[in-house]
Amino acid sequence: MLQSLWNNRVMVVAVILFAVGFTTLLLHRNLIKKIIGLNIMDTAAYLLLTSIGYIDKNKAPIIVDGVTDPSVYVNPLPAGLVLTGIVVSVSVTAVLLALTIRLYQRYHTLDLDEIYMIARNETEKKEDKK
Amino acid sequence: MSFAANFPLFCIVFCLICSVVSSLLNGKVARIITLLLSIVVMIMSIFVMLMVHLNGEPITYIMGHFPHPWGNEIRMGLLEPFFASIFSLILFLSLLGGERHLSSDLDVKKSQFYYVMTDLILSSFLVLLYTNDIFTGYVFIEICTLTSCGLLMIRQVGRTTLASIRYMIFSLIGSGLFLMGVIVLYGITGHLLFPNLHEAIAKLNVSGEYKIPLLTSISLITVGLSIKSGLFPFHFWMPDTYGYATPSSSGILSGLVSKVYILYLLKIIFNVFGTNVFYNSGIQHILFWFGVCAMIIGSIDALKENNINRMLANSSAAQIGYIYMSIGISPTLGVVAAIYHIVTHAFTKPLLFITSSRLCDAANGSKIFHDLQGKARKYPLTGALFTIGAFSMIGIPLTMGFISKYIIATSAINTEGMIVIPLIALALSTILNTIYFGRTLIRIYTPSDSETCMIKPKVSYLVSTIVLALINILTGIFSTPLISIIQQRLEFFGKVG
């Protein structure tokens, strides 16, 4: 059991990081920490993907000295997937940060629960006036 | 392979080009481009459907001349172009119907960006329907999330910004789980294309290797996509999201965005895992039970609402429950019922959101039931159209909603061990539906002396709502062809070609 945990230590770390990020994104009240949680979660996924894709002692898939035997090289596809994933998570983070700035300008707090309470009170007041 | 095989790729590329071009134009031109684009996509999809029908089996289109397992592929069965045409039609009608609100909700200088978003969202729908590669699917799921967030926050009220951030958070949780599932699947099979994955999973299933990782990956992908489509208990973002967006966006978000994830999940169940593996894993029970809970709790939440748009949004959560419950019942009859219900809901919800927005206009923009009293008497046509939509959601005969509830019930009766609970849930949910829609209808038809602002309806509004209502009634009356088409096409969906 312990031996297999040690052998798959990168995956174990990836799963723990994923759980940390996931719970922060889901449960934390502070918007900035939520975004940090999102990034930890995505990074954990990329760590898992890279660790699956990397074969120890194999070289990067660039042909040097005319060696075309594929068993010498690492499959480049996982790295490509990680790059695509990073692009996606950067754009998502940018949109989330922009939304956070807009919310902060309007409600002057980063606490999502507080913002929700203020917004609900505002709507109720409007409805009462009518 | 005929020239029409290029059409799905053309549609996707057209959408992407139009979105880039639209950002440089002014709002009015961008609007015309988007409307034309959705019609072109619809016509092309119908051509593709005819071609696949004549061909007799699904067509796989290889991109960039790299055969599998290296390249990327587009796959055309019959259901994919069928849904592509329906989705582009509904996008067109929603944009048409909400024109008045769009012009008042959008900043004139920025209105072209709304159409950039709609073009991009159409492209992501098409990719999610057509793609044969699971990672391409992931990328376009994220594009779909970002653009639907854009559609939501374009109306700049505090509440929509809050709604969009909550929507983003839940969506990102869903796509994070989905990505993890894809990675685990890639780790055990080494493939990303659907046919290769299917082969590898079938082999793993026979040999019994990697049983736990396979199960983990199935559950992560299923849970991820069901969170994104708003299955109970992750439906809390729905009332805010659909309730405060501009009516066109509400129609698109509730009618199409949440459905496209379900269709992608069905595509993965049929083409990647195979129905055997999926329905032996036990995950369908989870979908079934959460679907049942969503049906009842969504309806109870709708009953508690005092705001017409939020009520409709909660009713959406219940409808998503119907779809997942049907998927949980069985891979044959149940999935046919689920697909029929997807079509029903996709046609009905935009109709309800657009007509309700006009009723609210009559009450000076107020969405509270008290202010809406008697508005349907002042706007008889809008009232009638809203009634058709409400009847369809309740499941009164002659509408689509009746047929979909009927086939859900028959699929439950014909599946062993699944008779009691679905029927009880259906009955309970229908009663609750009747109560909250009945209450709304009584309210809007009760005479009242309050002031009504009479606004002349736009022609575009009339065209879009009447077409939606007509489709609803016609498919309700002549439902047999549609059901047999779905049944026949489902076989195509599952066939690996």
Short mmCIF file of all heavy atoms in Angstrom, two decimals, chain B residues 316-338:
data_model
loop_
_atom_site.label_atom_id
_atom_site.label_comp_id
_atom_site.label_asym_id
_atom_site.label_seq_id
_atom_site.Cartn_x
_atom_site.Cartn_y
_atom_site.Cartn_z
N SER B 316 -36.93 25.60 -15.13
CA SER B 316 -35.87 25.01 -15.96
C SER B 316 -35.10 23.94 -15.19
O SER B 316 -34.78 22.88 -15.74
CB SER B 316 -34.86 26.06 -16.39
OG SER B 316 -35.35 26.80 -17.43
N ALA B 317 -34.80 24.26 -13.90
CA ALA B 317 -34.06 23.28 -13.08
C ALA B 317 -34.85 21.98 -13.01
O ALA B 317 -34.29 20.88 -13.09
CB ALA B 317 -33.82 23.84 -11.69
N ALA B 318 -36.18 22.09 -12.89
CA ALA B 318 -37.01 20.88 -12.83
C ALA B 318 -36.97 20.13 -14.16
O ALA B 318 -36.91 18.90 -14.18
CB ALA B 318 -38.44 21.27 -12.48
N GLN B 319 -36.98 20.88 -15.26
CA GLN B 319 -36.97 20.22 -16.57
C GLN B 319 -35.67 19.47 -16.82
O GLN B 319 -35.65 18.40 -17.42
CB GLN B 319 -37.20 21.22 -17.70
CG GLN B 319 -38.46 22.07 -17.54
CD GLN B 319 -39.71 21.24 -17.45
OE1 GLN B 319 -39.82 20.20 -18.08
NE2 GLN B 319 -40.64 21.67 -16.61
N ILE B 320 -34.54 20.06 -16.34
CA ILE B 320 -33.26 19.36 -16.44
C ILE B 320 -33.36 18.03 -15.68
O ILE B 320 -32.85 17.00 -16.11
CB ILE B 320 -32.12 20.22 -15.83
CG1 ILE B 320 -31.96 21.52 -16.58
CG2 ILE B 320 -30.81 19.47 -15.79
CD1 ILE B 320 -31.30 21.43 -17.89
N GLY B 321 -34.08 18.07 -14.55
CA GLY B 321 -34.30 16.85 -13.78
C GLY B 321 -35.03 15.79 -14.59
O GLY B 321 -34.66 14.62 -14.56
N TYR B 322 -36.06 16.19 -15.35
CA TYR B 322 -36.79 15.24 -16.20
C TYR B 322 -35.81 14.55 -17.15
O TYR B 322 -35.87 13.33 -17.34
CB TYR B 322 -37.81 15.97 -17.09
CG TYR B 322 -39.11 16.35 -16.43
CD1 TYR B 322 -39.21 17.53 -15.73
CD2 TYR B 322 -40.22 15.54 -16.56
CE1 TYR B 322 -40.40 17.90 -15.15
CE2 TYR B 322 -41.41 15.91 -15.99
CZ TYR B 322 -41.50 17.09 -15.28
OH TYR B 322 -42.67 17.44 -14.71
N ILE B 323 -34.93 15.38 -17.77
CA ILE B 323 -34.04 14.83 -18.79
C ILE B 323 -33.09 13.81 -18.16
O ILE B 323 -32.92 12.70 -18.68
CB ILE B 323 -33.24 15.97 -19.46
CG1 ILE B 323 -34.20 16.89 -20.21
CG2 ILE B 323 -32.21 15.42 -20.41
CD1 ILE B 323 -33.60 18.18 -20.65
N TYR B 324 -32.50 14.17 -16.99
CA TYR B 324 -31.54 13.25 -16.38
C TYR B 324 -32.24 12.00 -15.85
O TYR B 324 -31.68 10.91 -15.91
CB TYR B 324 -30.74 13.95 -15.28
CG TYR B 324 -29.55 14.67 -15.84
CD1 TYR B 324 -29.52 16.05 -15.93
CD2 TYR B 324 -28.46 13.96 -16.34
CE1 TYR B 324 -28.45 16.70 -16.46
CE2 TYR B 324 -27.39 14.61 -16.88
CZ TYR B 324 -27.38 15.98 -16.94
OH TYR B 324 -26.32 16.62 -17.49
N MET B 325 -33.47 12.17 -15.35
CA MET B 325 -34.18 10.98 -14.88
C MET B 325 -34.40 10.02 -16.05
O MET B 325 -34.20 8.81 -15.92
CB MET B 325 -35.52 11.37 -14.26
CG MET B 325 -36.22 10.20 -13.61
SD MET B 325 -37.90 10.56 -13.16
CE MET B 325 -38.71 10.42 -14.73
N SER B 326 -34.79 10.57 -17.21
CA SER B 326 -35.02 9.68 -18.36
C SER B 326 -33.73 9.00 -18.78
O SER B 326 -33.75 7.82 -19.14
CB SER B 326 -35.56 10.46 -19.54
OG SER B 326 -36.43 11.44 -19.13
N ILE B 327 -32.60 9.72 -18.75
CA ILE B 327 -31.33 9.08 -19.11
C ILE B 327 -31.07 7.94 -18.14
O ILE B 327 -30.59 6.88 -18.53
CB ILE B 327 -30.16 10.10 -19.08
CG1 ILE B 327 -30.34 11.14 -20.16
CG2 ILE B 327 -28.82 9.39 -19.27
CD1 ILE B 327 -29.32 12.24 -20.13
N GLY B 328 -31.41 8.16 -16.85
CA GLY B 328 -31.17 7.12 -15.86
C GLY B 328 -32.05 5.90 -16.02
O GLY B 328 -31.72 4.83 -15.53
N ILE B 329 -33.19 6.04 -16.71
CA ILE B 329 -34.11 4.92 -16.79
C ILE B 329 -33.54 3.79 -17.65
O ILE B 329 -33.39 2.66 -17.19
CB ILE B 329 -35.49 5.38 -17.32
CG1 ILE B 329 -36.20 6.19 -16.23
CG2 ILE B 329 -36.36 4.18 -17.68
CD1 ILE B 329 -37.49 6.81 -16.68
N SER B 330 -33.25 4.09 -18.91
CA SER B 330 -32.67 3.04 -19.75
C SER B 330 -31.96 3.64 -20.95
O SER B 330 -32.25 4.78 -21.34
CB SER B 330 -33.77 2.07 -20.23
OG SER B 330 -34.56 2.72 -21.20
N PRO B 331 -31.01 2.92 -21.54
CA PRO B 331 -30.26 3.49 -22.66
C PRO B 331 -31.06 3.53 -23.95
O PRO B 331 -30.64 4.16 -24.91
CB PRO B 331 -29.06 2.56 -22.80
CG PRO B 331 -29.50 1.29 -22.21
CD PRO B 331 -30.49 1.61 -21.15
N THR B 332 -32.19 2.84 -24.02
CA THR B 332 -32.94 2.84 -25.28
C THR B 332 -34.12 3.81 -25.21
O THR B 332 -34.05 4.93 -25.69
CB THR B 332 -33.42 1.43 -25.60
OG1 THR B 332 -33.96 0.87 -24.41
CG2 THR B 332 -32.27 0.56 -26.07
N LEU B 333 -35.19 3.34 -24.56
CA LEU B 333 -36.40 4.17 -24.49
C LEU B 333 -36.18 5.44 -23.68
O LEU B 333 -36.63 6.52 -24.04
CB LEU B 333 -37.54 3.35 -23.86
CG LEU B 333 -38.11 2.26 -24.75
CD1 LEU B 333 -39.02 1.35 -23.94
CD2 LEU B 333 -38.87 2.89 -25.90
N GLY B 334 -35.46 5.29 -22.57
CA GLY B 334 -35.23 6.43 -21.69
C GLY B 334 -34.50 7.55 -22.41
O GLY B 334 -34.86 8.72 -22.30
N VAL B 335 -33.45 7.19 -23.17
CA VAL B 335 -32.67 8.23 -23.84
C VAL B 335 -33.49 8.88 -24.95
O VAL B 335 -33.39 10.09 -25.18
CB VAL B 335 -31.34 7.65 -24.37
CG1 VAL B 335 -30.62 8.66 -25.21
CG2 VAL B 335 -30.47 7.26 -23.20
N VAL B 336 -34.35 8.09 -25.63
CA VAL B 336 -35.23 8.69 -26.64
C VAL B 336 -36.11 9.74 -25.97
O VAL B 336 -36.26 10.87 -26.47
CB VAL B 336 -36.11 7.61 -27.31
CG1 VAL B 336 -37.16 8.26 -28.19
CG2 VAL B 336 -35.27 6.67 -28.14
N ALA B 337 -36.69 9.38 -24.80
CA ALA B 337 -37.53 10.33 -24.08
C ALA B 337 -36.73 11.56 -23.68
O ALA B 337 -37.20 12.69 -23.80
CB ALA B 337 -38.13 9.67 -22.84
N ALA B 338 -35.48 11.34 -23.23
CA ALA B 338 -34.64 12.46 -22.81
C ALA B 338 -34.40 13.40 -23.98
O ALA B 338 -34.50 14.63 -23.85
CB ALA B 338 -33.32 11.96 -22.25
#
